[in-house]
Amino acid sequence: QVQLVESGGGLVQPGGSLRLSCAASGRFFSINAMGWYRQAPGKQRELVATITRGANTNYADSVKGRFTISRDNTKNTEYLQMNSLKPEDTAVYYCKATVMLTMGRSDDYWGQGTQVTVSS
């Protein structure tokens, strides 16, 4: 019913930049909070950044000052601008959205994940 499609991942050199996008489609009333998470092999999934519908943002300490989360509510899309990338940023990045399916009912949805590799 609700799908999140991510794009923008790839291979980049240290110090480089990437921009991830996540577009939501399907049948729903509205999208509330959205966010980005990442998971490296053998490690737990961690929160990278979140953004409310009103554009209030929150970032993990490890990415503050380098990453910027944003959203375009007219397109049901969120973005993650990643600058000054480091090898430790290498992970699979997942989009998450809290979707109000109908009034009074919300569910969390996840994207399929997109690989970000920072290496020389």
Side-chain angles (χ1 to χ4, degrees), residues 38 48-49 57-68 83-84 86 89:
R38 67 186 182 187
V48 177
T57 59
N58 182 63
Y59 296 92
D61 288 341
S62 59
V63 306
K64 285 182 179 178
R66 300 188 297 119
F67 291 10
T68 302
N83 298 326
S84 301
K86 305 174 181 179
D89 295 318

Side-chain angles (χ1 to χ4, degrees), residues 3-98:
Q3 298 83 40
L4 303 180
V5 179
E6 301 173 341
S7 62
L11 175 65
V12 65
Q13 293 183 329
S17 298
L18 285 174
R19 192 190 194 209
L20 307 182
S21 64
C22 173
S25 62
R27 186 184 297 273
F28 51 83
F29 182 72
S30 66
I31 301 175
N32 297 324
M34 304 186 78
W36 291 95
Y37 297 72
R38 67 186 182 187
Q39 186 169 23
K43 297 185 178 180
Q44 296 183 351
R45 187 173 299 186
E46 64 177 354
L47 183 146
V48 177
T50 60
I51 184 168
T52 67
R53 186 170 182 83
N56 186 36
T57 59
N58 182 63
Y59 296 92
D61 288 341
S62 59
V63 306
K64 285 182 179 178
R66 300 188 297 119
F67 291 10
T68 302
I69 188 172
S70 62
R71 64 190 290 172
D72 185 341
N73 292 334
T74 67
K75 299 179 180 179
N76 295 132
T77 301
E78 72 165 347
Y79 306 92
L80 185 68
Q81 178 66 47
M82 304 184 293
N83 298 326
S84 301
L85 283 162
K86 305 174 181 179
E88 49 263 47
D89 295 318
T90 296
V92 177
Y93 284 70
Y94 296 91
C95 172
K96 180 184 177 182
T98 301

Side-chain angles (χ1 to χ4, degrees), residues 97-117:
T98 301
V99 179
M100 182 176 290
L101 301 175
T102 62
M103 282 188 289
R105 182 184 174 218
S106 296
D107 284 327
D108 291 340
Y109 289 85
W110 291 87
Q112 79 284 356
T114 184
Q115 178 70 48
V116 172
T117 302

